[in-house]
Amino acid sequence: MNVRYRVELSQIERTELRALLSGGKHASRKLKRAQILLAADAETSDEEIARSVGVSGSTVYRTKRRFVEGNLERALSEEPRPGAERKLTGKEEALLVATACASPPRGRARWTLKLLAGAMVKLTEHKSLSHETVRRRLAENALKPWRKDMWCIPQVDGEYVARMEDVLDLYAEAPDSRRPVVCFDESPVQLIGETRQPIPAKPGRLERYDYEYRRNGTVNLFVLLDVHRPWRKVKVTERRAARDYAQCMRDSRRTSNYPDAEIIRVVQDNLSTHSAGALYQAFPPAEARRILRRLEFHYTPKHASWLNMVEIEIGVLRGQCLDRRIDDPKRLRREITAWERQRNAARSRIKWMFTTDKARAKMAGAYPATSKES
């Protein structure tokens, strides 16, 4: 048989190739080259090698040639592949990055691949530039100028720290039926209806519904969550005005909820309606004063809603109950009431892990300097 390149492995090379095939994670191409070399060393024909390894005859030829002309490492490794030259030079890529980071053209909210390609044609000598070329160069620099991240960095000062530690200390207290701690917040809900009747799911087919929908307005949810016992209450209202807030605060004082309570401590955010003044807007002075004597407000820091435990509960409510289209307020109330009863019956609670000690350890750099020194 006329063999142009004859493979003759040393014992060390055979051992290395067998070890390569016996274990470990390696590229499929590298493993096939090792099989080709071992088979060629056993004087197997090129046709038989190609059939048994599952490669083309040209792959067998190239692998043997690279071994004979080079060495084992060269035969196993990837050969440099020819490709088209990069269309943008280093300076042009830097110009593209700078353009993508600058303001978009007047009348446009953000850069797109098409806009950037057109801008580069104007700024360089290229007659044309594909969107894919622009995309690849931006990807190499981790740039996506059509996307934006919204962030809010709170000012961590003495007021922030004081409110944060006040709330965290409330969470850490032992349960006290005479001084319960209740987290309060509100959340809007859109009433969304179907334009066509959904098709129920069947074995082998998902439920299908029309992408079009009908918007029937919004309602508001007032959510209360007891910090120390498995209880929550959701009230659906048409509005979220100060009077609605005041009514919710009065309802929380009912003896059926807290028969032994002397004072209910309410954790809430800094919304303008969340104040004692809202009760005076809704009730006569004597009634407002009577309610406020049994309430004690504790406010989370500004831009720190994560400190309000009820935010987690609202997320659970949305995921378990409201993640669907409901267009009727009455039906919404029924569904929320059912969810509330089930969750209370299951004695579900929020497991809060963040404490004042952890805050001082993890946020030490954010604390005011005078607080850290003392």
Side-chain angles (χ1 to χ4, degrees), residues 69-94:
E69 294 180 351
N71 51 33
L72 181 61
E73 182 180 355
R74 181 184 172 189
L76 294 176
S77 61
E78 289 284 345
E79 193 172 21
R81 299 184 181 185
E85 294 183 3
R86 294 171 76 97
K87 203 162 188 181
L88 297 179
T89 64
K91 290 184 178 180
E92 289 171 341
E93 288 185 20

Side-chain angles (χ1 to χ4, degrees), residues 34-316:
Q35 293 174 334
I36 291 171
L37 293 175
L38 286 173
D41 181 59
E43 299 185 355
T44 306
S45 67
D46 288 2
E47 293 79 7
E48 180 62 23
I49 294 174
R51 187 190 64 79
S52 61
V53 178
V55 296
S56 64
S58 59
T59 299
V60 176
Y61 174 83
R62 287 195 304 271
T63 303
K64 293 170 63 176
R65 174 176 58 81
R66 293 176 66 187
F67 175 79
V68 173
E69 294 180 351
N71 51 33
L72 181 61
E73 182 180 355
R74 181 184 172 189
L76 294 176
S77 61
E78 289 284 345
E79 193 172 21
R81 299 184 181 185
E85 294 183 3
R86 294 171 76 97
K87 203 162 188 181
L88 297 179
T89 64
K91 290 184 178 180
E92 289 171 341
E93 288 185 20
L95 178 60
L96 172 63
V97 171
T99 304
C101 293
S103 299
R106 181 173 296 180
R108 301 301 292 266
R110 60 189 61 84
W111 285 106
T112 64
L113 295 178
K114 184 177 180 179
L115 285 176
L116 286 169
M120 289 301 294
V121 169
K122 294 179 180 179
L123 295 172
T124 63
E125 296 181 356
H126 291 284
K127 294 182 179 180
S128 65
L129 203 62
S130 70
H131 302 169
E132 183 62 15
T133 297
V134 174
R135 187 196 66 78
R136 288 179 178 177
R137 301 294 84 79
L138 293 177
E140 290 175 357
N141 292 276
L143 276 175
K144 296 180 180 179
W146 52 89
R147 294 185 59 184
K148 293 182 180 180
D149 279 339
M150 180 178 291
W151 49 267
C152 178
I153 301 178
Q155 181 180 357
V156 182
D157 52 12
E159 182 65 19
Y160 185 101
V161 169
R163 291 191 176 189
M164 177 180 66
E165 294 199 353
D166 175 51
V167 171
L168 293 177
D169 285 349
L170 286 177
Y171 292 168
E173 285 185 8
D176 185 353
S177 60
R178 303 181 68 181
R179 295 170 57 81
V181 180
V182 176
C183 292
F184 170 84
D185 202 5
E186 54 192 65
S187 180
V189 174
Q190 291 193 70
L191 298 174
I192 300 296
E194 303 285 359
T195 57
R196 295 179 179 86
Q197 189 66 25
I199 301 175
K202 291 183 178 180
R205 190 180 71 180
L206 298 174
E207 178 187 6
R208 292 183 291 176
Y209 62 95
D210 200 299
Y211 76 97
E212 291 186 1
Y213 60 87
R214 182 176 61 254
R215 188 172 182 271
N216 291 343
T218 61
V219 293
N220 181 66
L221 304 182
F222 286 125
V223 187
L224 295 101
L225 174 73
D226 194 300
V227 170
H228 296 119
R229 67 186 180 107
W231 177 88
R232 72 273 302 136
K233 181 65 179 176
V234 183
K235 182 179 181 181
V236 182
T237 62
E238 295 181 358
R239 303 165 303 168
R240 49 178 291 183
R243 292 179 177 273
D244 301 294
Y245 165 79
Q247 185 67 49
C248 188
M249 288 295 103
R250 184 172 69 173
D251 292 346
S252 70
R253 280 294 314 133
R254 289 179 177 173
T255 56
S256 58
N257 295 334
Y258 297 101
D260 302 325
E262 296 177 354
I263 288 181
I264 297 179
R265 293 174 288 178
V266 181
V267 176
Q268 56 187 355
D269 61 22
N270 298 271
L271 197 64
S272 59
T273 56
H274 297 176
S275 66
L279 281 86
Y280 280 92
Q281 295 179 38
F283 307 117
E287 176 67 4
R289 190 71 254 161
R290 185 189 68 81
I291 298 171
L292 288 171
R293 286 196 188 99
R294 309 291 291 277
L295 294 175
E296 182 179 289
F297 294 145
H298 295 258
Y299 292 96
T300 59
K302 190 176 181 181
H303 302 311
S305 59
W306 60 272
L307 277 167
N308 196 337
M309 198 182 292
V310 77
E311 291 280 351
I312 302 174
E313 189 69 16
I314 292 175
V316 175

